[in-house]
Amino acid sequence: MIAHSFVRLIVNHHPDLKIERVLTRRPLGSLADFPLAGALTQSIDDLIAHSDIIVECSGDVFHGTEVIERAFEAGLPVVTVNAELQVTTGSYLAGKGLITEAEGDQPGSLAALHEDAIQMGFTPLVYGNMKGFLNHHPTPEDMAYWAKRQGISVEQTTSFTDGTKVQIEQVVVGNGFGATITRQGLEGLGSTNLNDSASVLGMLADRAGQPIVDYVVPSGYSAGGVFIVGRHDEEQAPALQYFKLGAGPYYVLVRPFHLCSLEVAKTVRRVLNGGGVLLNNSTRPTLGVAAIAKQAMKPGDLIERGIGGFQFRGEAIRLADHPDHVPIGLLRKTALKRAVEPGQLITFDDVDILPSRALEIVEAQRQALKASVCEEDVLGLEPFPLIAGAAG
């Protein structure tokens, strides 16, 4: 859906930009309805040879990592609509070339709102996501129904519904802007009034002593947007109250929409015009998304997929607290080595993971993290100094 919509947008509304190639793994004969069928290719070499910039929107951690590494070898910048990849291999990739999440999906929309907030003098305390519906244990039947109704895959529908996607999105934002979490899995406040919920989250951020990422589940008002809770200079309080932002000290800036593929072109132009990174997972992340079992399983059980599956869901964690967790983005065609119980956080001792470039990257990051924690513990330092700015 993202690729179809993005291609139509560029063709119909951006005459100075041209899509030369679209990489697909599907049989070309099955894509006769694609809006630019003549641009389709199954060759990464062909894609790279005809591109000045790559837009990666596969939603696939493994395939996306391969394509981006090849793009970086050719010196090409990459815009992603793939938060799943960002939280799995994105920090490694951020050290190898220009990779940025696009405006349009919630992380990029929060990053754009962050830039606006900073320019207006706000100090962000909370980077918030609005989630319309949450069910940690949806049934396959319900997900098949809603996937058909919404025109997206069952896997996407499931990852949205069970909360995995919002955890992934908020972790990318947290890593990009040096924010943390107040607890594993985030607060996820039920909310009938965003200003009230924002004040609670603002107080939690003050208590934490640094910005936080979180989300609300609204009731009685529109969901689907993003928001920032921030402070401002005391002398601006009368003006902000006149501007209908309330008496403070917490002020809420809301972006009530995110239009996915229709906004990606803004980030493409940003990069082409030298604007640099909007948001990525940073080269020194402090947060990750762990796999949490939804059901009891026994040794030998096969895991077809983590994100969007019915066996696991994702929860935001602090990396320093769980250095041996399995990032949920790595779970694909995996076998359990040990029995697990509902609610259990999965570690590398629990599973056999098929070799892949993504696994190599994650394993190298994991060993570096453990070494860093050990060294900083010996020196008496706080682990993982926060990195200011989205570029890492």
Side-chain angles (χ1 to χ4, degrees):
M1 183 177 68
I2 297 294
H4 280 67
S5 181
F6 177 68
V7 167
R8 291 190 183 101
L9 177 76
I10 298 301
V11 169
N12 294 331
H13 298 284
H14 295 268
D16 59 322
L17 299 178
K18 183 178 180 182
I19 295 177
E20 288 280 2
R21 294 291 187 273
V22 178
L23 179 67
T24 181
R25 290 167 290 172
R26 301 181 186 182
L28 298 184
S30 69
L31 293 167
D33 64 336
F34 194 80
L36 204 61
L40 291 169
T41 181
Q42 292 185 316
S43 167
I44 296 178
D45 290 334
D46 189 26
L47 173 79
I48 290 172
H50 291 87
S51 300
D52 297 309
I53 186 170
I54 302 293
V55 176
E56 201 293 309
C57 56
S58 70
D60 187 308
V61 170
F62 302 89
H63 177 62
T65 297
E66 178 186 359
V67 171
I68 292 171
E69 283 202 298
R70 292 289 303 281
F72 285 170
E73 289 170 4
L76 298 179
V78 175
V79 173
T80 72
V81 192
N82 194 344
E84 295 88 343
L85 177 144
Q86 290 275 10
V87 298
T88 310
T89 59
S91 289
Y92 167 84
L93 294 169
K96 301 299 179 182
L98 194 159
I99 178 173
T100 180
E101 193 69 5
E103 190 171 348
D105 210 359
Q106 286 97 327
S109 294
L110 265 171
L113 185 58
H114 165 89
E115 289 191 343
D116 289 343
I118 295 297
Q119 291 184 63
M120 291 186 288
F122 290 93
T123 300
L125 297 174
V126 180
Y127 298 95
N129 203 321
M130 287 187 268
K131 181 156 184 56
F133 182 75
L134 180 65
N135 177 4
H136 287 322
H137 299 280
T139 67
E141 294 76 19
D142 282 347
M143 293 300 91
Y145 168 81
W146 285 107
K148 182 176 180 180
R149 178 167 172 170
Q150 295 174 338
I152 59 177
S153 71
V154 171
E155 292 79 15
Q156 287 176 309
T157 305
T158 304
S159 72
F160 301 161
T161 302
D162 71 8
T164 297
K165 186 69 185 298
V166 74
Q167 302 281 329
I168 289 170
E169 291 167 346
Q170 294 308 91
V171 163
V172 174
V173 174
N175 285 330
F177 292 121
T180 190
I181 60 177
T182 55
R183 68 179 183 88
Q184 179 176 315
L186 309 178
E187 299 291 339
L189 299 179
S191 177
T192 56
N193 183 296
L194 183 57
N195 287 326
D196 291 344
S197 302
S199 293
V200 173
L201 292 171
M203 287 187 283
L204 289 173
D206 277 339
R207 186 182 303 167
Q210 69 182 95
I212 65 171
V213 292
D214 220 294
Y215 69 98
V216 298
V217 183
S219 174
Y221 61 93
S222 176
V226 296
F227 63 94
I228 285 177
V229 183
R231 289 186 179 272
H232 212 298
D233 305 329
E234 287 186 14
E235 58 264 37
Q236 294 285 11
L240 290 168
Q241 189 158 17
Y242 175 76
F243 297 145
K244 307 298 187 286
L245 284 188
Y250 303 115
Y251 299 102
V252 188
L253 303 178
V254 181
R255 193 175 190 268
F257 64 89
H258 67 97
L259 301 182
C260 297
S261 49
L262 297 184
E263 299 189 71
V264 174
K266 290 189 282 184
T267 309
V268 170
R269 288 192 179 280
R270 174 195 181 98
V271 174
L272 290 175
N273 292 334
V277 170
L278 176 66
L279 174 74
N280 62 35
N281 205 52
S282 91
T283 56
R284 292 291 303 276
T286 62
L287 305 174
V289 182
I292 306 296
K294 293 181 181 179
Q295 61 189 41
M297 287 170 279
K298 60 184 184 300
D301 281 356
L302 296 180
I303 305 163
E304 186 64 26
R305 62 183 301 120
I307 299 172
F310 294 96
Q311 297 164 309
F312 298 92
R313 61 181 178 86
E315 283 192 352
I317 58 157
R318 297 182 188 89
L319 295 178
D321 293 341
H322 298 284
D324 292 321
H325 81 283
V326 176
I328 192 168
L330 278 186
L331 291 182
R332 184 186 69 171
K333 300 188 183 304
T334 304
L336 277 176
K337 293 193 293 186
R338 304 193 300 195
V340 300
E341 296 298 324
Q344 182 176 331
L345 185 148
I346 306 305
T347 71
F348 279 91
D349 290 333
D350 297 320
V351 290
D352 273 322
I353 299 178
L354 291 174
S356 68
R357 179 60 182 143
L359 176 59
E360 291 176 1
I361 289 170
V362 169
E363 184 60 27
Q365 290 179 314
R366 185 167 73 101
Q367 296 306 322
L369 167 68
K370 294 171 77 170
S372 174
V373 170
C374 290
E375 179 180 350
E376 287 158 351
D377 284 346
V378 169
L379 294 175
L381 301 177
E382 288 291 329
F384 302 109
L386 296 175
I387 303 301

